[in-house]
Amino acid sequence: MATIYDKQIKNRNFLSPTGFKFIMDKAPKVSFFGNQVNIPQMTLGVAEQPTYLRDIPLPGDKIQFEDFSIRFLVDENLANYLEIFNWMRALGYPESLEEIKDWQKKDFDIAQPDKSTESFFSDATLEILTSSQNPNFKVKFQEMWPTSLSTLEFDATDEDISYLTADATFKYTLYNITDLSGNKL
C-alpha cells in the first residue's frame, strides 16, 4: 500500500547553478568558454471565457518561449566571438553573397551538413550536472540561431584585469528536457 511518504522527493540535494555544460554544433568555441546560461522561461497564453458577471481565465493554446542567452569568456584571438559574429553576418545583410556561401561551407562537425537554409540553424544541448558534477539531465534546443551579440568594451583605465565576456542571445523553435538517453522527462 502506497503512503504519502512514497511520493516525497527522494534526492534532497539542491540544483547547483555552477553545474552545467553547454554544447552547440555551430559554435563549439563559444560552448567551451561559456560561463553563464539559462533555461528560458516559458509562458502559457490565457484565454478569456466571457460571462455576464466577469470574464473567466482559462489555459490558452500557445506557449511562448523566451530567448536563450549565454555569457562566455572571449579568447584573445576572438575565435569564439567570431563564431557568432560570422554566423549573424551570414544570416543578416552581409557585404556579398560570397560571405553567405563561405559561411555555409564551413565544417561544423554535424551529422548532416545541409547546404540549404536549414544550415543557418544549430541544435544545442545544455547538460545539467548533479552536485557531484555528474551528468543528470539535458535540455535540448532545436533550430537555434543568434539574434544579438554584445559589445566588447576595452578600458585602459581599469586597475584590475577582468577578462572580457560577451553575451549572445538566440531564438529557437523548441526545447525539451530529457534524461541522458534522450527520453522526455
Side-chain angles (χ1 to χ4, degrees):
M1 179 174 182
T3 67
I4 192 165
Y5 299 108
D6 294 333
K7 295 181 181 182
Q8 292 291 320
I9 294 175
K10 304 274 188 274
N11 181 350
R12 298 194 184 253
N13 293 323
F14 298 112
L15 189 60
S16 169
T18 60
F20 69 91
K21 183 169 106 178
F22 182 68
I23 303 150
M24 182 181 297
D25 296 337
K26 291 195 175 167
K29 294 172 186 163
V30 169
S31 301
F32 182 76
F33 285 112
N35 60 6
Q36 184 179 0
V37 297
N38 65 341
I39 298 176
Q41 174 181 328
M42 56 187 272
T43 307
L44 178 63
V46 177
E48 300 266 336
Q49 178 181 352
T51 68
Y52 67 96
L53 294 175
R54 98 174 176 89
D55 292 344
I56 299 171
L58 298 170
D61 60 349
K62 291 185 181 177
I63 293 178
Q64 298 294 323
F65 293 98
E66 294 294 322
D67 295 343
F68 173 83
S69 60
I70 183 170
R71 176 170 291 151
F72 59 95
L73 290 162
V74 178
D75 67 285
E76 66 181 9
N77 293 330
L78 290 179
N80 55 4
Y81 187 85
L82 288 172
E83 281 182 329
I84 305 298
F85 178 85
N86 290 329
W87 189 358
M88 290 181 72
R89 296 258 324 213
L91 292 172
Y93 294 101
E95 294 177 40
S96 69
L97 291 176
E98 288 302 312
E99 197 170 353
I100 295 170
K101 291 175 186 174
D102 290 345
W103 187 82
Q104 284 183 317
K105 289 178 188 172
K106 286 186 184 259
D107 178 20
F108 295 110
D109 296 328
I110 54 178
Q112 298 173 342
D114 184 8
K115 301 300 181 206
S116 70
T117 57
E118 291 178 14
S119 69
F120 289 132
F121 304 112
S122 179
D123 289 344
T125 302
L126 175 61
E127 194 169 87
I128 307 299
L129 309 176
T130 65
S131 56
S132 303
Q133 299 300 306
N134 296 317
N136 195 15
F137 61 90
K138 296 179 179 182
V139 182
K140 300 187 75 80
F141 295 89
Q142 298 173 9
E143 298 179 346
M144 294 184 92
W145 75 96
T147 59
S148 72
L149 181 62
S150 67
T151 60
L152 293 179
E153 293 188 26
F154 295 87
D155 186 354
T157 63
D158 279 348
E159 293 180 15
D160 293 329
I161 295 176
S162 56
Y163 297 101
L164 291 179
T165 61
D167 294 316
T169 304
F170 296 84
K171 294 283 187 191
Y172 52 92
T173 306
L174 181 69
Y175 75 82
N176 287 304
I177 301 174
T178 69
D179 63 15
L180 297 177
S181 299
N183 303 313
K184 290 183 187 176
L185 296 179

